[in-house]
Amino acid sequence: MVPDLRAQYNNSFTTEKYEAFLKELNSQHGPIQFRSAETPVFIPKDFTNQMLSACESIVDVILKPDFKELTQNAIPENLQVLNEDDYPSCITFDFGVCVNEHNELEPQLIEMQAFPTLFAFEVLLDDVYHKHFSAPANYSSYLSGLNRESYLKLLKNLLLNGHEPEHVVLLEIFPDQQKTNIDFYCTRDYTGIQPVCVTELIQKGRQLFYLNNGKETLIKRIYNRVIFDELLQQEDWVQQKAKVLFEDVDVEWMPHPNWFYRISKYTLPLIQHPNIPATQYLNKVEKIPEDLENYVLKPLFSFAGQGVVIDIAPDDIEKIEDPQNWILQKRLPTPR
């Protein structure tokens, strides 16, 4: 996106450098389970500002007094968790690089979720990139004036919320088997928080415990990495162990599981912004667009993109029996 910087980086790139970069990156906690890019992305300020503007417009909607009322139906009845807080502790935005009608690059929102992403791994990634490749002095992986030190301080404060690390757990479903496990290990390195499987929780009344080096330890705060849709796909014994999460237990959540559903595809029809694809609840569509080739049809409650209809025919819409659980979304401009 910044041609001069791209040319400079490409000209200095060698396979040997990349292999050395991968070797160090994978030496921290064993092989990483996903591909690491050969290059950082150099994003111009205007492009960044468009993304930030879109994010701010979403936050403005979330902060409206009636937001919870508008999104109450977003949470499946069987997955509602007690003791929800007033606001989400974190939100993740995923943008694609697209070409608009003026043949210009622009960001378009792909997905958003009140759920963590690789918040700790990205620090390690940035560290190792800078050891093996050069980057312009005026470019940074950190936004809002943050640097490595201030970002880690912010992350630690957010996750711990004043508690000692041994009383906070990173909760997942078999964390060592997850493709993103490198982030769990980096979180432990930077904050002291241990990854814990939902099957390892110990309930005593309203309190939860886990074994920390063999010692039964009280859990005061949960850094939640459990995707409840994924939980429903587990064997019965795993789901039985996880039922404690739906009881009135005395723990803080970061973030609370209900926000995963509130801030999702369900929220998109409530937002209007040029960098967010226009979206409508299917049951609110007054007239089916004639140019359906420019739209996609998505179920509100699906996991990992299941059920999305890309090449829509009028019959696809007419045969849907629960239009209140679907959205009709404008297709993105040509992706780059």
Side-chain angles (χ1 to χ4, degrees):
M1 288 187 282
V2 184
D4 291 346
L5 292 180
R6 170 55 51 219
Q8 292 175 31
Y9 186 90
N10 288 358
N11 289 336
S12 65
F13 179 87
T14 66
T15 301
E16 291 74 21
K17 283 184 181 180
Y18 179 62
E19 289 177 348
F21 157 78
L22 286 181
K23 182 177 180 181
E24 179 167 353
L25 197 61
N26 286 287
S27 70
Q28 303 295 318
H29 293 287
I32 296 173
Q33 303 301 308
F34 49 85
R35 180 177 175 179
S36 298
E38 292 86 351
T39 174
V41 180
F42 301 108
I43 300 174
K45 184 172 291 187
D46 178 65
F47 194 97
T48 301
N49 289 338
Q50 289 183 66
M51 288 193 290
L52 294 177
S53 173
C55 296
E56 290 291 347
S57 71
I58 297 168
V59 172
D60 287 344
V61 170
I62 295 168
L63 293 178
K64 288 183 176 180
D66 61 347
F67 180 75
K68 279 196 172 184
E69 180 182 348
L70 291 172
T71 58
Q72 189 55 40
N73 292 334
I75 311 167
E77 288 188 17
N78 63 323
L79 295 178
Q80 297 208 27
V81 176
L82 299 174
N83 304 316
E84 182 181 338
D85 47 10
D86 292 333
Y87 301 103
S89 308
C90 66
I91 313 174
T92 300
F93 301 102
D94 181 8
F95 287 88
V97 181
C98 299
V99 180
N100 64 22
E101 58 187 7
H102 304 295
N103 202 34
E104 300 168 335
L105 296 181
E106 68 173 15
Q108 285 288 331
L109 185 74
I110 302 293
E111 185 180 20
M112 61 179 176
Q113 213 82 65
F115 196 76
T117 183
L118 306 176
F119 289 160
F121 170 70
E122 62 190 13
V123 176
L124 173 66
L125 181 64
D126 187 67
D127 288 348
V128 179
Y129 261 132
H130 277 83
K131 287 184 67 173
H132 294 272
F133 300 100
S134 60
N138 60 333
Y139 274 71
S140 171
S141 297
Y142 302 97
L143 293 171
S144 303
L146 295 171
N147 56 27
R148 186 184 191 277
E149 180 181 1
S150 58
Y151 174 84
L152 283 174
K153 180 180 179 180
L154 180 64
L155 180 64
K156 193 169 184 177
N157 289 342
L158 175 66
L159 299 189
L160 295 177
N161 196 34
H163 300 295
E164 293 299 319
E166 61 264 30
H167 295 299
V168 182
V169 298
L170 186 160
L171 195 66
E172 243 296 9
I173 305 166
F174 305 116
D176 292 336
Q177 299 177 24
Q178 295 288 340
K179 287 187 176 181
T180 54
N181 57 19
I182 181 63
D183 184 68
F184 310 157
Y185 307 144
C186 288
T187 300
R188 181 176 58 199
D189 291 345
Y190 298 138
T191 69
I193 296 172
Q194 298 289 335
V196 173
C197 180
V198 292
T199 62
E200 298 170 350
L201 295 175
I202 302 166
Q203 182 182 14
K204 294 186 176 181
R206 294 186 66 239
Q207 294 183 319
L208 296 181
F209 298 81
Y210 75 108
L211 294 181
N212 184 14
N213 294 322
K215 179 183 176 182
E216 201 169 273
T217 304
L218 177 66
I219 299 172
K220 297 182 179 180
R221 186 170 173 83
I222 293 175
Y223 178 28
N224 183 47
R225 303 297 292 261
V226 177
I227 295 178
F228 281 52
D229 291 329
E230 183 181 353
L231 181 61
L232 295 179
Q233 298 182 9
Q234 302 299 312
E235 295 180 24
D236 287 344
W237 73 272
V238 177
Q239 295 188 46
Q240 286 296 321
K241 287 280 189 179
K243 278 188 174 181
V244 64
L245 302 179
F246 300 95
E247 297 182 15
D248 186 15
V249 288
D250 186 19
V251 295
E252 298 172 4
W253 290 93
M254 200 319 277
H256 192 282
N258 290 356
W259 286 106
F260 177 88
Y261 295 99
R262 290 190 186 278
I263 302 175
S264 61
K265 287 177 288 187
Y266 199 96
T267 316
L268 289 175
L270 307 178
I271 306 164
Q272 287 79 44
H273 191 277
N275 298 106
I276 299 176
T279 307
Q280 299 179 74
Y281 298 117
L282 188 59
N283 64 330
K284 298 291 181 68
V285 175
E286 295 180 357
K287 181 181 179 182
I288 297 176
E290 295 181 2
D291 58 336
L292 278 177
E293 68 275 8
N294 293 320
Y295 290 81
V296 292
L297 193 59
K298 297 181 179 180
L300 285 172
F301 307 107
S302 65
F303 180 57
Q306 297 175 0
V308 175
V309 182
I310 296 176
D311 297 317
I312 311 174
D315 287 350
D316 293 320
I317 296 177
E318 292 170 3
K319 69 184 180 184
I320 290 177
E321 299 178 353
D322 56 343
Q324 71 277 10
N325 293 326
W326 290 75
I327 55 174
L328 187 65
Q329 185 179 67
K330 201 76 182 282
R331 294 184 78 157
L332 294 175
T334 306
R336 183 50 91 75

